Amino acid sequence: MNKIKLMSHLVAGYPTTELALTAARSLIRGGADILEIQLPFSDPSADGQAIQTACTKVLERGYKTSDGLAFIAQIHSEFPQIPIYLMSYGSLVYTPGVENFCKKAAEAGVKGMIIPDLPFDYDEGLTAACKKNGMINIPVAAPSMSAERLHKMAGAGFPYIYAALRVGITGTDTKIDQNTLDFLKKVSEGGSKVYGGFGISNGEQAKALASSVEAIVAGSVFVRIITENQNDESKLAQKVEAKARELTSL
């Protein structure tokens, strides 16, 4: 491994479609291996202030699911080699019909779905619909899960599991300690590869996690950089790329 694998999170259309595309290009230039693109949602249960605020700003423009899928399709057409995972919440997937939603997502270029509020064993048919459309469902494991439930998820045969590294919401700093590494070990005990995120914002954390996960996940740190530099596109691009390089450097 000559670099740390990075899944970077972006809110579709934030702060504008053009600047979100600039950010996506900069993330990939900086070494992001996977893009996790969030469809803006009005009442997110797992997102901290940076991402919640970004979602609100985009929704105020009247942004729709179809706009988010068009954004994903554009990135996929530019970077077909980069896997794109769609992150959202259950109601956006369930309302138009899970099968219908998955078909549209796959057509836009989505390779996997991360829907944190759909339990892995009561997912309204999401795993099956993903499989039918050439995608994977990536369930979310949290340290607050009972040992029995975590063991059940780990043994359920998912190719990948997203491990939230602590209880609570995204965006606040996460300490990587022995408890974190023990949790990751339990998540991977059934053979699933693990993506580890929640509060990852610097290279030190990334290095501490690197040998225990398939890829680190970082989101709020990029959303904050985008927010702080939205009035200067070249600075935004430069800072997003630099942060991605920091997180992927061994």
Side-chain angles (χ1 to χ4, degrees), residues 12-13 15 17 40 55-68:
T17 297
C55 284
T56 302
K57 295 282 185 201
V58 179
L59 291 170
E60 281 170 356
R61 303 205 311 262
Y63 204 82
K64 294 182 172 55
T65 295
S66 55
D67 299 315

Side-chain angles (χ1 to χ4, degrees), residues 17-196:
T17 297
E18 201 40 63
L19 286 174
L21 287 167
T22 296
R25 293 169 187 139
S26 304
L27 285 165
I28 292 165
R29 270 201 311 276
D33 302 273
I34 303 160
L35 292 183
E36 177 193 9
I37 299 180
Q38 176 168 353
L39 296 185
F41 190 66
S42 57
D43 188 24
S45 56
D47 297 313
Q49 192 178 357
I51 292 174
Q52 278 193 35
T53 304
C55 284
T56 302
K57 295 282 185 201
V58 179
L59 291 170
E60 281 170 356
R61 303 205 311 262
Y63 204 82
K64 294 182 172 55
T65 295
S66 55
D67 299 315
L69 292 175
F71 174 75
I72 287 170
Q74 179 160 354
I75 294 171
H76 178 62
S77 71
E78 283 187 43
F79 304 99
Q81 78 284 10
I82 298 287
I84 297 174
Y85 295 156
L86 184 153
M87 185 260 157
S88 191
Y89 289 92
S91 64
L92 281 189
V93 179
Y94 184 78
T95 304
V98 175
E99 178 78 46
N100 178 36
F101 186 95
C102 286
K103 186 173 183 293
K104 287 183 175 170
E107 285 166 357
V110 173
K111 289 286 179 276
M113 303 275 280
I114 300 170
I115 313 294
D117 58 343
L118 276 184
F120 75 96
D121 45 357
Y122 295 98
D123 69 3
E124 304 293 347
L126 180 64
T127 300
C130 283
K131 192 176 270 188
K132 186 175 175 181
N133 288 280
M135 302 187 296
I136 51 171
N137 179 28
I138 303 165
V140 179
S144 55
M145 290 170 85
S146 68
E148 183 189 358
R149 188 156 176 73
L150 188 57
H151 180 69
K152 189 180 173 190
M153 179 190 275
F158 289 100
Y160 299 93
I161 295 174
Y162 184 128
L165 299 175
R166 56 172 169 70
V167 176
I169 54 175
T170 59
T172 53
D173 209 34
T174 297
K175 187 175 183 294
I176 310 300
D177 57 18
Q178 193 55 48
N179 288 338
T180 314
L181 303 180
D182 290 346
F183 168 63
L184 290 169
K185 207 169 186 177
K186 286 175 191 163
V187 177
S188 64
E189 69 180 10
S192 302
K193 292 181 177 176
V194 178
Y195 298 127

